[in-house]
Amino acid sequence: MRLVTDLAPGFGRAVIGPSGPATTPRRATRSRPGETIMSGTGTPNEPVITSYAHAPTRTVTAGGVTYAFRELGPKGGVPVVFFAHLAATLDNWDPRIVDPIAKGRHVIAFDQRGVGASTGQVPDSIEAMADNAYTFITALGFDKIDVFSFSLGGFIAQALVAKHPELVRKLVLTGTGPKGGKDIDKVAAITYWDMLRATLTRSGPKEFLFFNRNTTGKLAARAFVNRLKERTADRDAKIKIKAFQTQLKAIKKWGRSTPDDLSQLAQSTLIANGDNDRMVPSVLSEDLHRRIKDSELIIYPDSGHGGIFQHHQQFAPLAVEFLAR
């Protein structure tokens, strides 16, 4: 484990073991009935977009569901697919995390089934969410990806790797924990309580859920919320209450399930969190680190569930370096 206590540039650089060579993924080109249907068509001369705030929203239909997604960065090589947190839509990714990665990598963020602009209903289990993610990824024609996940997205990513280990090359798990992890089943209670506190103080729920309520945390929270507003056009639809409640039920079920054997996980893995995560307790990041062979763990001080967003200036370069190895 690496506890980051000095936030000077370059401190806490991860030492990661070597990984296998990248492979060039396939891309879907089919459009016959029953097969992949994509909206929007890129051209070889299309300018490379590296700003998440300006990435166009596209759709792909597979398995009877239309998935909304945004992609940016140079095409080619293994893409980095972003798995979002509880209640998150496409508009909830911090551009200070996405943009640095997209400078050199093809990045894809997507709405899970039944969330935001994606159609269908939210599944009531993490494993079913992983099945939907697999459907989306293969609909785009990829047979190898890197995963960047946060919170609920980390649960889904672990379930995806358990079912399809050949699909994932590298794994970034942030603000998350293992199946059956201690107190994960309490996420719903914490979430509803912090939503109430946010309403009473006319604040955004993420300011309570993601950040400490001290001076440092409050400043970081406001900065984070403002960054999420940088995209002013083509905003995503907000998650519906029923979909949100179903996600919470799936999280409770995940937290009360029998743990998976993570010792067999072969993917290079980077784990990160704040030292005071109230939603998915920080000790669960340490648990993941102990159980995933050769994984790297970074814990940021004086920060909560959104530690990677509070310390994005330090974390983003480390994530870029890890994914480039």
Side-chain angles (χ1 to χ4, degrees):
M1 179 182 74
R2 187 183 301 276
L3 175 62
V4 179
T5 56
D6 179 353
L7 300 184
F11 183 88
R13 185 172 298 277
V15 180
I16 308 296
S19 61
T23 59
T24 301
R26 298 175 289 107
R27 284 303 302 265
T29 57
R30 300 169 297 173
S31 58
R32 297 189 296 273
E35 296 185 313
T36 301
I37 304 173
M38 291 185 63
S39 71
T41 55
T43 65
N45 296 322
E46 186 179 61
V48 175
I49 298 172
T50 57
S51 169
Y52 189 61
H54 298 102
T57 302
R58 296 173 176 171
T59 61
V60 60
T61 299
V65 176
T66 297
Y67 295 91
F69 69 100
R70 293 174 188 158
E71 58 182 340
L72 63 160
K75 304 292 178 64
V78 177
V80 183
V81 181
F82 278 61
F83 286 60
H85 62 81
L86 169 69
T89 69
L90 289 170
D91 291 333
N92 291 118
W93 279 113
D94 189 342
R96 299 303 183 274
I97 297 293
V98 179
D99 292 0
I101 295 174
K103 286 183 179 179
R105 295 291 299 276
H106 182 189
V107 167
I108 299 168
F110 73 106
D111 279 336
Q112 276 279 339
R113 175 177 178 165
V115 176
S118 290
T119 64
Q121 295 183 340
V122 173
D124 63 359
S125 75
I126 300 300
E127 289 77 12
M129 293 178 188
D131 290 339
N132 293 150
Y134 182 77
T135 297
F136 165 73
I137 291 161
T138 55
L140 293 183
F142 296 113
D143 56 14
K144 188 70 69 176
I145 65 170
D146 288 344
V147 168
F148 187 105
S149 64
F150 175 61
S151 195
L152 167 62
F155 305 157
I156 300 170
Q158 291 174 64
L160 177 68
V161 171
K163 289 191 174 187
H164 305 283
E166 75 290 343
L167 177 66
V168 179
R169 185 183 69 121
K170 286 181 176 288
L171 190 58
V172 180
L173 299 171
T174 67
T176 194
K179 186 177 183 180
K182 184 178 183 298
D183 292 338
I184 287 179
D185 60 347
K186 297 179 181 178
V187 166
I190 294 171
T191 299
Y192 284 129
W193 170 243
D194 279 359
M195 289 176 66
L196 175 61
R197 291 202 298 166
T199 299
L200 294 175
T201 58
R202 298 183 180 180
S203 306
K206 290 184 178 65
E207 295 184 44
F208 285 83
L209 291 166
F210 286 10
F211 301 91
N212 290 340
R213 297 306 293 165
N214 56 18
T215 300
T216 301
K218 290 178 180 179
L219 289 173
R222 286 194 288 271
F224 170 74
V225 170
N226 286 335
R227 292 196 297 272
L228 298 185
K229 298 176 182 177
E230 289 178 359
R231 184 185 185 94
T232 56
D234 188 26
R235 300 278 297 182
D236 200 359
K238 293 183 178 180
I239 190 170
K240 295 180 173 62
I241 293 177
K242 183 178 179 180
F244 171 64
Q245 292 173 335
T246 304
Q247 284 187 334
L248 286 173
K249 290 179 182 177
I251 291 172
K252 178 178 287 189
K253 187 184 300 183
W254 171 267
R256 295 181 176 177
S257 298
T258 303
D260 288 329
D261 181 7
L262 298 179
S263 66
Q264 301 302 310
L265 196 153
Q267 286 75 11
S268 297
T269 305
L270 176 64
I271 303 164
N273 205 347
D275 65 351
N276 185 39
D277 188 340
R278 294 173 53 254
M279 290 195 72
V280 185
S282 302
V283 294
L284 295 182
S285 292
E286 298 173 7
D287 188 18
L288 284 172
H289 177 49
R290 284 191 298 268
R291 294 167 60 185
I292 299 175
K293 184 180 178 181
D294 297 327
S295 61
E296 180 79 5
L297 173 64
I298 301 172
I299 299 294
Y300 288 103
D302 193 21
S303 56
H305 191 55
I308 65 166
F309 307 130
Q310 180 172 329
H311 298 293
H312 63 86
Q313 292 179 323
Q314 290 74 41
F315 176 71
L318 293 180
V320 169
E321 181 186 42
F322 169 75
L323 291 167
R325 288 179 179 267

